Amino acid sequence: MLGVARRRLGSGCVLGQLAQALRPAAAARSYSAAAKEITVREALNSALDEEMSADPSVFLMGEEVGEYQGAYKISKGLLDKYGPDRVLDTPITEAGFTGIGVGAAYHGLRPIVEFMTFNFSMQAIDHIINSAAKSNYMSAGQISVPIVFRGPNGAAAGVGAQHSQCYAAWYAHVPGLKVLAPYSAEDARGLLKAAIRDPDPVVFLENELLYGESFPVSDEVLDSSFCLPIGKAKIERQGKDVTITAFSKMVGYALQAADILAKEGISAEVINLRSIRPLDRAAINASVRKTNRLVTVEEGFPQHGIGAEICMAVVEDSFEYLDAPVERIAGADVPMPYAANLERMAVPQVEDIVRAAKRACYRAVPMAATA
């Protein structure tokens, strides 16, 4: 692959110099190819493998993606299979290797840039927004930027304020970017394939705490041709009393809340957004027009968040269908605490969703009455 890059970019390019410094590592490929249940980690690994196999212009770059096989072992076995020309270990300089990736995309390659955490993407945000997101528009469509920026996003556990932010709202604010946030193994596999094949820059927000979770998958999902459409949400659970929207790890919390609510006679419909930008307004509004109530759930800060955007989408398109005020569940409006007990209070919990759904259904005392 880098032979192509050198011909297009010049033999003295930084990308070529990086590749020459690499050494291959012996690693066994390890993911489930036939089982009916796979982890999110295996789903991402298999998607990367299949897309790199299908398209020689696809390559992966980032810190420790090669010889260490990824900080979270998402790229396990890829260096051994594809070599250092297509799995590039980079220095600890996000601004540098992200700029190299965008430049490679300008020249027709399909880079996948991995951030060890999306908190570190702030070092490279100029390239993501000014170099990648705006180039197609500013070139009048002459320059496509088929690049994926991926890595863990949001809170993990005990890593403090500088490593716990959710960047969904940050990047969803920018025209020219597509922003995806998978929950399940099916989401991870199908959306990553879609992101790699897309002609535009895609921000792919994973969750560290979901990597080891297993999900059942069908034979269709395991097929190499499987791909999910960008911009389409998924109804994870049908319901008729209240709509709950969520993405990434919060989908699991919403489903747990729906189970609890069902025992109390409240039928909750859970929407897995999957795509943050573009947002599936049609699916959200169709659900609200059926249930007449809405609870939005997100890990990020409340102000200017994804929940606020969803609320406005419903107010604009379905206000007359609402039978109760919209309830918004989000992270606390403070930097993430380090102490475990405070950290739990700063992140939405299942019981928060349950209480909000009950308020929307007039089955609990409103918060204003207890203030």
Side-chain angles (χ1 to χ4, degrees), residues 13-188:
C13 70
V14 179
L15 188 60
Q17 293 170 8
L18 280 176
Q20 290 169 10
L22 299 172
R23 293 292 182 271
R29 175 186 165 100
S30 173
Y31 70 82
S32 173
K36 296 296 183 181
E37 191 169 282
I38 62 173
T39 64
V40 170
R41 178 181 288 106
E42 290 168 332
L44 293 168
N45 178 270
S46 64
L48 288 170
D49 185 10
E50 290 170 11
E51 293 305 302
M52 291 179 73
S53 178
D55 186 348
S57 70
V58 176
F59 70 97
L60 175 67
M61 65 190 307
E63 296 156 1
E64 299 186 344
V65 299
E67 294 193 25
Y68 191 67
Q69 304 189 74
Y72 301 98
K73 300 300 179 274
I74 304 299
S75 53
K76 186 174 183 178
L78 299 183
L79 175 62
D80 191 46
K81 184 171 183 178
Y82 296 103
D85 276 3
R86 296 184 63 193
V87 181
L88 286 79
D89 276 323
T90 65
I92 304 174
T93 169
E94 284 78 11
F97 65 73
T98 303
I100 292 169
V102 173
Y106 283 175
H107 285 265
L109 301 179
R110 290 184 173 271
I112 303 164
V113 174
E114 176 179 312
F115 297 116
M116 197 174 291
T117 161
F118 255 94
N119 297 275
F120 300 160
S121 74
M122 286 199 291
Q123 302 292 325
I125 202 165
D126 179 55
H127 287 303
I128 297 170
I129 293 176
N130 284 325
S131 301
K134 299 177 182 177
S135 291
N136 186 265
Y137 170 79
M138 294 182 72
S139 68
Q142 296 179 78
I143 299 176
S144 291
V145 192
I147 186 170
V148 177
F149 306 102
R150 54 156 294 270
N153 170 69
V159 291
Q162 294 176 328
H163 296 77
S164 300
Q165 288 185 203
C166 174
Y167 287 87
W170 288 54
Y171 289 115
H173 186 66
V174 181
L177 289 178
K178 295 175 182 176
V179 182
L180 306 178
Y183 160 61
S184 65
E186 175 182 322
D187 292 354

Side-chain angles (χ1 to χ4, degrees), residues 296-318:
T296 71
V297 186
E298 63 189 304
E299 248 186 282
F301 302 131
Q303 188 162 325
H304 311 305
I306 304 303
E309 178 64 24
I310 291 172
C311 177
M312 196 62 210
V314 170
V315 167
E316 289 176 343
D317 296 343
S318 304

